[in-house]
Amino acid sequence: MLHKNKLMLKPVSELLGEQFFIPAYQRGYRWTARQVRDLLEDLAEFQQNVHGKPTERFYCLQPVVVKKKAEEWELVDGQQRLITLYIILRYLTSLDAVQGQQCYSLRFETRPDSQEFLQHIDPTRAEDNIDFFHISQARETVKTWFKERPGRDKAILTTLLNDDRAGRNVKFIWYQLHDEAEATTVFSRLNRGKIPLTNAELVKALFLHAGNFKRSGEAVRFQQLRLAHEWDNIERRLQQPDFWYFVSNTPQEDNRIELLLKTIADTLKPPVPMQDPYYIFLKFSHHLKNAKSDPQAVEHLWMRIKHLFMTLNEWFDDQNGYHLVGYLISQKVTLQTLIHWHETSQSKNAFLIQLRKKIKAIALPALAPQGNATENPQEEIAAAISSLSYGDKSLRALLLLFNIATILTNANSSMRFQFRRYKLDSWDIEHISSVSSQMPESTPGQKAWTQTIQQHFRPEDDSAAQDEQYGALQTKFYNQARRLLNKETFDSDAFTKLFNEVQKSFNKNSRKDLENSIGNLTLLDAATNRSYKNAIFPIKRQRIIAADKNTTFVPIATRNVFLKYYSQRVHDMTFWNREDHDSYQRAITQTLATFFSEALL
């Protein structure tokens, strides 16, 4: 009994005599004439190129996924490739010169007519159904291709049927599901793009193939074990959440090394359609096939992957590298772009300057054409950010940068921005002091807001400790909220009056034209934001402090805002007024000016 999935390379010769059945959940045969010709061209190119070369060389076909069912193999994936190869083999073995070769069998669980037609293809019946049409078209394409290339039939058939002893053969990537696997579930995952046979598994199998190593015997075994060990170490490091979300923006459960493989694959020359689900594997496979004259091809390719990993590790361990690279990756700058800048920079400092220039173009696009050489960069930054308003596309990038710059402008800081939390959580641009336009419109929303007001303004036992002005507001709004909630029918008009009075009292020194400016905006995760949206400043401040106490990730600049660290006078922690607004906006300007000036050092 097979208890786990099995991955191996299997020569076509070992499929001869096997029995496959295509289950009911599979669609019919749909390969086009072009796809059939491409396969034949690839086989012919391989056959010509390996003539006289080491016998370990082989041509690798894309995977077939199977599950053993009694004496047959249930074909979960790979139907199109296996049927096409069957048509080619049946055509070749029908020729007098190469008669007598055996083939595998294909049985259709719910389409017996297709099974019979595949064994005896009759072009006159091509219009009977769509399966017959595509099968006939494939057979005619094979026939035409060989007639245009007389004498190639024997060579191609030999290449297809050579076993591993003869070598220079054709192999499938054979993926056998374990006995308890549910084939229909696997098929569904395959067709939704959740492919159990990943590019990483395929590339690893390609790298570990003994024919790719110059040595033989125990030396090959040692090299295989070393490469496998290094592969696993890289994957283990990428599984660490802080490291993964430093280099990636998207969740991935396993085979995270594919991020590195993709970065390298994009630089390899063989053209492969990006939309191909096996794009990464095919890139590596074609590259190694084209580099077959180099016995160190696998080693050289593996060294590139290791070097990329070590570079990422170096960036992660460096305070500047971690934050600058992490920021750019969060803004969808590709690893390949970052690696290019790194390789073409004359020094580490030059690389960091390049990163800051790109960051400036993203966070302050209005200043990007001017570069860094300005007479008064602080004034220009002040003008650029003062023009920003709630809803501007660059605002999120700017506020994120402010958090990162706050950390980096302190040379003694060992704090690190949590990219993991930033990428896993949904983030909002939040008003520090709520605005009238945010009044809840639905009755449930109005009730929730009123309950929050009642809870917040509930009189304390130690009333003497309360500020006199605040105490009067506390009593007033607590009683209004309690009466509103105790009514049998919720009074929306009374709610509107309460909401407007609270807004007027706690935003009395604010200006309506500044409500949506950057001095009244901060970055916060959506879960926390939803818990106090429309709330007045003291309630928001209370929630932020509670979140910080509970070790919920609160960006440093957001925490500083609600603790009024940027304000010149903090005698009143109840209101967010015009002075607070201006002090906060100046702090953003000064921090960013310092951050960008360091790029000139």
Side-chain angles (χ1 to χ4, degrees):
M1 176 176 284
L2 190 66
H3 297 288
K4 62 180 183 179
N5 298 337
K6 184 177 181 181
L7 175 67
M8 62 185 297
L9 291 166
K10 187 182 283 286
V12 172
S13 60
E14 292 186 15
L15 271 57
L16 303 182
E18 296 287 0
Q19 301 173 44
F20 296 89
F21 81 91
I22 299 168
Y25 54 75
Q26 293 270 17
R27 68 170 183 165
Y29 180 70
R30 294 295 182 271
W31 261 29
T32 65
R34 179 177 178 179
Q35 289 171 298
V36 175
R37 282 196 301 271
D38 286 346
L39 175 58
L40 289 167
E41 293 290 350
D42 284 350
L43 292 174
E45 181 185 0
F46 169 76
Q47 186 272 323
Q48 287 181 312
N49 291 338
V50 297
H51 181 69
K53 299 293 176 62
T55 57
E56 291 87 357
R57 304 289 182 186
F58 66 92
Y59 179 82
C60 191
L61 291 165
Q62 288 193 33
V64 292
V65 181
V66 296
K67 182 180 178 181
K68 191 68 174 177
K69 286 287 187 73
E71 299 303 315
E72 293 181 305
W73 294 102
E74 180 177 354
L75 191 54
V76 181
D77 189 54
Q79 173 199 179
Q80 310 294 319
R81 292 180 287 280
L82 211 56
I83 290 178
T84 303
L85 192 63
Y86 179 89
I87 293 170
I88 293 171
L89 288 170
R90 291 281 297 188
Y91 173 80
L92 292 174
T93 55
S94 70
L95 304 177
D96 291 341
V98 288
Q99 273 186 346
Q101 295 291 342
Q102 189 182 20
C103 195
Y104 48 84
S105 66
L106 288 163
R107 178 175 68 84
F108 295 78
E109 187 175 31
T110 57
R111 302 194 301 275
D113 289 347
S114 294
Q115 178 180 345
E116 186 274 332
F117 185 80
L118 190 59
Q119 293 173 345
H120 306 284
I121 300 173
D122 180 0
T124 63
R125 299 177 59 198
E127 301 300 325
D128 287 5
N129 61 56
I130 190 66
D131 278 9
F132 289 9
F133 172 80
H134 285 287
I135 291 171
S136 295
Q137 185 182 55
R139 174 61 163 69
E140 188 61 31
T141 301
V142 171
K143 179 181 177 182
T144 301
W145 191 90
F146 277 106
K147 284 191 173 182
E148 291 173 351
R149 296 160 182 80
R152 299 301 297 274
D153 44 20
K154 288 185 179 180
I156 295 293
L157 185 62
T158 300
T159 300
L160 285 171
L161 299 184
N162 275 350
D163 58 18
D164 278 342
R165 188 183 309 173
R168 305 188 192 98
N169 55 356
V170 177
K171 299 183 183 184
F172 274 104
I173 297 167
W174 180 267
Y175 193 71
Q176 182 180 348
L177 301 176
H178 65 82
D179 291 342
E180 301 302 318
E182 179 58 51
T184 54
T185 301
V186 174
F187 176 78
S188 177
R189 292 174 61 206
L190 282 163
N191 282 272
R192 292 200 312 268
K194 299 179 180 179
I195 304 170
L197 184 58
T198 66
N199 278 279
E201 291 174 306
L202 299 175
V203 172
K204 188 176 184 181
L206 187 64
F207 276 15
L208 295 178
H209 184 257
N212 289 323
F213 296 94
K214 187 177 180 180
R215 301 176 185 178
S216 59
E218 285 302 312
V220 168
R221 179 64 177 162
F222 175 78
Q223 286 181 289
Q224 289 173 320
L225 289 173
R226 174 185 59 80
L227 193 152
H229 178 69
E230 292 172 345
W231 182 291
D232 291 342
N233 282 342
I234 292 174
E235 179 65 30
R236 193 175 299 113
R237 176 63 160 153
L238 290 167
Q239 285 295 326
Q240 296 172 4
D242 287 340
F243 190 82
W244 175 248
Y245 288 103
F246 157 65
V247 297
S248 172
N249 295 324
T250 56
Q252 184 169 328
E253 291 299 319
D254 50 20
N255 292 304
R256 290 180 172 179
I257 197 173
E258 283 189 6
L259 176 67
L260 310 189
L261 301 180
K262 170 67 164 58
T263 302
I264 299 297
D266 287 343
T267 69
L268 302 179
K269 291 182 179 180
V272 176
M274 287 284 291
Q275 65 272 20
D276 193 302
Y278 294 109
Y279 166 82
I280 296 173
F281 166 70
L282 292 174
K283 275 279 193 172
F284 279 96
S285 177
H286 292 337
H287 174 82
L288 292 176
K289 181 177 69 172
N290 294 338
K292 53 190 172 294
S293 59
D294 179 8
Q296 296 296 318
V298 167
E299 189 67 25
H300 293 158
L301 206 49
W302 178 239
M303 285 301 296
R304 288 188 61 188
I305 296 168
K306 286 204 301 181
H307 180 71
L308 172 58
F309 170 71
M310 289 186 289
T311 300
L312 297 179
N313 220 30
E314 178 185 339
W315 292 345
F316 182 83
D317 291 338
D318 178 75
Q319 182 77 335
N320 276 289
Y322 170 80
H323 286 98
L324 301 185
V325 170
Y327 175 87
L328 288 170
I329 289 177
S330 76
Q331 301 304 306
K332 297 183 172 54
V333 176
T334 65
L335 268 184
Q336 189 173 331
T337 298
L338 294 168
I339 290 295
H340 173 71
W341 291 344
H342 182 260
E343 292 175 347
T344 55
S345 295
Q346 295 182 349
S347 65
K348 177 181 177 180
N349 196 52
F351 174 60
L352 295 177
I353 290 174
Q354 175 78 0
L355 297 185
R356 290 183 191 244
K357 285 181 178 179
K358 181 61 177 177
I359 289 172
K360 190 172 189 178
I362 292 172
L364 292 167
L367 300 185
Q370 302 174 26
N372 288 312
T374 56
E375 294 182 2
N376 197 327
Q378 187 162 317
E379 283 188 7
E380 292 178 349
I381 291 173
I385 70 171
S386 66
S387 66
L388 292 174
S389 182
Y390 187 78
D392 285 347
K393 291 182 179 180
S394 62
L395 194 56
R396 185 187 300 271
L398 180 67
L399 290 173
L400 173 61
L401 176 60
F402 177 47
N403 282 274
I404 289 170
T406 299
I407 296 171
L408 289 183
T409 50
N410 181 357
N412 297 319
S413 175
S414 59
M415 178 183 290
R416 289 198 150 200
F417 186 82
Q418 294 187 30
F419 287 109
R420 174 171 63 94
R421 290 265 52 94
Y422 179 74
K423 293 174 182 180
L424 286 175
D425 300 332
S426 177
W427 290 77
D428 289 341
I429 304 299
E430 168 63 6
H431 289 89
I432 299 168
S433 178
S434 58
V435 299
S436 56
S437 61
Q438 292 182 322
M439 185 179 75
E441 295 181 359
S442 67
T443 298
Q446 293 175 353
K447 284 184 177 180
W449 189 92
T450 307
Q451 288 167 350
T452 300
I453 289 295
Q454 182 188 31
Q455 181 181 6
H456 178 74
F457 287 117
R458 187 180 301 277
E460 301 289 340
D461 293 336
D462 186 9
S463 58
Q466 297 293 329
D467 174 82
E468 183 177 346
Q469 179 189 17
Y470 184 79
L473 291 174
Q474 180 183 39
T475 302
K476 174 184 177 182
F477 293 136
Y478 170 76
N479 289 330
Q480 287 185 17
R482 181 172 57 84
R483 286 195 298 268
L484 183 57
L485 291 171
N486 286 339
K487 287 186 177 181
E488 186 174 339
T489 302
F490 190 81
D491 187 343
S492 292
D493 291 336
F495 167 81
T496 301
K497 180 180 178 182
L498 172 62
F499 182 88
N500 289 333
E501 284 188 20
V502 170
Q503 291 291 329
K504 182 178 179 180
S505 297
F506 284 88
N507 298 333
K508 60 183 179 181
N509 295 322
S510 65
R511 283 174 44 186
K512 195 169 185 64
D513 61 323
L514 297 178
E515 283 184 345
N516 290 317
S517 68
I518 195 169
N520 192 38
L521 300 171
T522 192
L523 191 65
L524 199 66
D525 70 284
T528 304
N529 189 7
R530 283 192 296 270
S531 73
Y532 69 52
K533 197 169 185 69
N534 310 308
I536 55 178
F537 179 78
I539 295 179
K540 294 180 180 181
R541 180 175 180 275
Q542 185 183 61
R543 300 283 175 86
I544 289 295
I545 292 173
D548 199 39
K549 282 182 178 178
N550 293 329
T551 69
T552 299
F553 172 56
V554 179
I556 183 172
T558 301
R559 185 188 65 183
N560 290 350
V561 160
F562 286 100
L563 294 179
K564 286 203 172 186
Y565 284 170
Y566 301 118
S567 300
Q568 298 299 311
R569 293 185 293 175
V570 291
H571 62 281
D572 188 352
M573 302 298 288
T574 303
F575 305 96
W576 183 257
N577 56 42
R578 173 62 187 272
E579 290 182 6
D580 299 318
H581 172 287
D582 293 345
S583 296
Y584 172 47
Q585 190 160 316
R586 280 196 300 272
I588 297 175
T589 300
Q590 292 165 0
T591 302
L592 295 183
T594 302
F595 173 80
F596 287 119
S597 69
E598 291 176 0
L600 298 175
L601 300 178

